[in-house]
Amino acid sequence: SNTPESKPKVELLILFFVISLVLTVVTQSSSITIVLALTAANAWLVDYRMWIMLILWAFLWTTSTTLLWAVWWSYLKKQVSYSHFFLNLFSSVLWFLLLNLFVRVLEKINVDIVLWLSIFAVWFKVITVLLLLIFLKPFIKFIQNLFPKKTTHLWLKIETLRFWDADAALLAVHDDDIKLLKKVFILLRY
């Protein structure tokens, strides 16, 4: 039956969970899990508590492959990758701690579960970004201390830029591409 009282089979929930996490990792997007979870919530296969937990996991799983690749990346790419991870980790822990409050609010108001969960997914990110803006400087310092600036043995111009200057970055990337291509061609001759 299609009611909140009907209990889904555990095997179906495990399969749903695995499929959604695999798709999230492969596509690096939590949108797939959100859509699948909304579909399951609409069919009452998952309740709102489970749905919210799936979304929190999906937000964390979107960072999984970048964390794996970051092992071999430069300090700057590690900073970006781990910034994404820590932002999602921080927000997921925060929302997990607030879960009971949101559940109580949901139980008091009579609103369509899919609408409420859709709003939750959007506001989850909006509030997280607003909180990040409040703590942006300490967050940047934390990430920079975690992965301090290091230059490669190639002495690329892009590594010397201090901040986001698009024109300087474009010129540096162009010059670095030429420099690296010359090195490749030199290696190919031997």
Side-chain angles (χ1 to χ4, degrees):
S1 68
N2 194 14
T3 64
E5 292 81 25
S6 62
K7 299 286 184 195
K9 293 184 178 179
V10 174
E11 298 84 15
L12 180 64
L13 291 177
I14 292 172
L15 178 65
F16 172 79
F17 182 73
V18 170
I19 289 171
S20 65
L21 289 183
V22 167
L23 290 173
T24 297
V25 169
V26 169
T27 63
Q28 286 299 286
S29 174
S30 57
S31 299
I32 289 175
T33 299
I34 291 171
V35 169
L36 288 172
L38 284 173
T39 303
N42 190 47
W44 291 103
L45 295 175
V46 296
D47 67 359
Y48 45 85
R49 285 182 181 96
M50 183 175 287
W51 186 90
I52 291 172
M53 295 309 294
L54 282 170
I55 298 310
L56 297 179
W57 274 108
F59 289 144
L60 283 175
W61 276 95
T62 59
T63 64
S64 62
T65 54
T66 58
L67 289 177
L68 291 174
W69 281 105
V71 172
W72 297 282
W73 285 346
S74 69
Y75 79 95
L76 192 56
K77 290 180 181 177
K78 285 180 182 178
Q79 287 178 349
V80 171
S81 178
Y82 279 85
S83 295
H84 186 206
F85 171 74
F86 283 117
L87 177 64
N88 282 343
L89 179 64
F90 165 75
S91 60
S92 293
V93 168
L94 175 70
W95 285 99
F96 178 75
L97 294 174
L98 296 174
L99 181 62
N100 283 332
L101 173 69
F102 283 103
V103 168
R104 278 191 254 136
V105 169
L106 179 62
E107 290 170 345
K108 290 190 188 276
I109 59 175
N110 187 17
V111 68
D112 179 55
I113 189 169
V114 175
L115 174 64
W116 190 90
L117 294 174
S118 300
I119 291 169
F120 173 84
V122 170
W123 279 102
F124 174 90
K125 286 296 184 180
V126 169
I127 292 173
T128 298
V129 168
L130 292 175
L131 287 172
L132 175 66
L133 291 175
I134 294 169
F135 299 105
L136 188 59
K137 286 185 180 182
F139 185 73
I140 290 172
K141 188 133 182 99
F142 167 73
I143 295 296
Q144 288 175 338
N145 287 337
L146 195 60
F147 299 102
K149 183 176 182 176
K150 295 178 185 173
T151 57
T152 66
H153 65 284
L154 298 172
W155 299 100
L156 301 175
K157 288 184 180 181
I158 194 70
E159 296 172 337
T160 63
L161 296 179
R162 289 212 29 98
F163 209 72
W164 300 104
D165 182 355
D167 293 332
L170 187 60
L171 289 172
V173 168
H174 178 266
D175 291 347
D176 290 343
D177 285 347
I178 292 171
K179 181 178 182 178
L180 292 172
L181 283 172
K182 286 179 181 177
K183 288 185 181 275
V184 168
F185 286 122
I186 289 170
L187 290 173
L188 289 176
R189 280 193 279 180
Y190 294 109

